[in-house]
């Protein structure tokens, strides 16, 4: 069975400093992995996806994530946080024959 | 701009009312989904439709009744809801439901049950 753990429910960074949002997954097979962002009163927007190609995945708005099979991790990073990055971030795992499984989310706060 | 449009954005209803949520996608996708998002809980998948056929009902109470008349439209009919049904209801679509395809979400309907 697949599952997703987001290790931090809340991360706070200063504007211009790096962002690290952690995600670990459990999957029986080769998973597909996604990161989504949700701003207040909005739906989920796809940031990036991993589907068994390059392990370092670049997404929108300067975000990227690295798939590490040995660590079963798919952490999201950004070199320099912007105020507009403040939102809720969801890590998602999917495998053949199964629906999306969402992590509980990490709320990112960006301080001026 | 979103390719998935949900109406209404906000809905307040009493427990004895009947209402419907609407979702329309303009992406040419064949799979559509209903999710429930409650505070402090992960997203819960409710229903999946693939090529207009329901392929998943995640043990959802019968007071929620989905309808998918075509690949572009998805409805959620609501009847005799409970206070715990207050939540954000999100609709999503994907190309044809395969595991490596991202889902595209609407902005949701915020439902409040009085």
């Amino acid at each position: 069975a697949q599952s997703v753990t987001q290790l931090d429910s809340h991360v706070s960074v200063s504007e211009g400093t790096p962002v690290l949002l952690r995600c670990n997954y459990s999957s029986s097979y080769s998973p597909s992995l996604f990161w989504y962002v949700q701003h207040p009163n909005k739906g989920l927007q796809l940031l990036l996806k991993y589907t068994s190609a390059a392990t370092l995945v670049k997404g929108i708005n300067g975000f990227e994530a690295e798939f590490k099979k040995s660590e079963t991790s798919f952490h999201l990073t950004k070199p320099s946080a912007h105020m507009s990055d403040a939102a809720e971030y969801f890590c998602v795992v999917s495998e053949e024959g199964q629906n999306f499984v969402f992590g509980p989310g990490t709320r990112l706060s960006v301080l001026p | 701009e979103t390719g998935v449009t949900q109406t209404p954005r906000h809905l307040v209803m009493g427990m004895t009312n009947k209402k419907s949520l609407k979702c329309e996608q303009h992406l040419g996708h064949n799979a559509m989904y209903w999710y429930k998002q409650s505070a402090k809980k992960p997203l819960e998948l409710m229903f999946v439709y693939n090529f207009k056929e329901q392929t998943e009902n995640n043990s959802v109470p019968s007071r929620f009744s989905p309808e998918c008349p075509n690949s572009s439209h998805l409805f959620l009919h609501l009847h005799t809801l409970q206070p715990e049904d207050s939540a954000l209801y999100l609709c999503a679509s994907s190309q044809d439901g395969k595991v490596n395809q991202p889902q595209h979400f609407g902005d949701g309907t915020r439902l409040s049950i009085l």
Side-chain angles (χ1 to χ4, degrees), chain B residues 82-95:
Chain B
Q82 304 299 308
E84 62 265 28
D85 297 324
S86 297
L88 181 68
Y89 288 85
L90 292 165
C91 174
S93 70
S94 68
Q95 185 59 50

Side-chain angles (χ1 to χ4, degrees), chain A residues 30-32 34 36 38 41-46 49 51 88 90 94-100 102-104, chain B residues 9-10 33 35 37 41-43 45 48 56 88 90 97-108 110:
Chain A
S30 297
S32 292
F34 307 83
Y36 283 83
Q38 185 178 31
N41 300 313
K42 301 291 260 183
L44 279 68
Q45 179 186 17
L46 179 69
K49 66 174 183 176
T51 55
E88 189 90 15
F90 295 92
S94 178
E95 61 184 37
E96 197 64 48
Q98 302 293 325
N99 291 305
F100 272 24
F102 287 79
Chain B
R9 291 296 314 277
H10 302 272
Y33 311 78
Y35 287 91
Q37 187 177 32
K41 294 175 69 174
L43 249 70
L45 178 66
V48 181
E56 182 91 21
L88 181 68
L90 292 165
K98 288 193 167 52
V99 62
N100 61 349
Q101 294 168 355
Q103 294 180 15
H104 298 258
F105 286 79
D107 285 339
R110 175 73 61 186

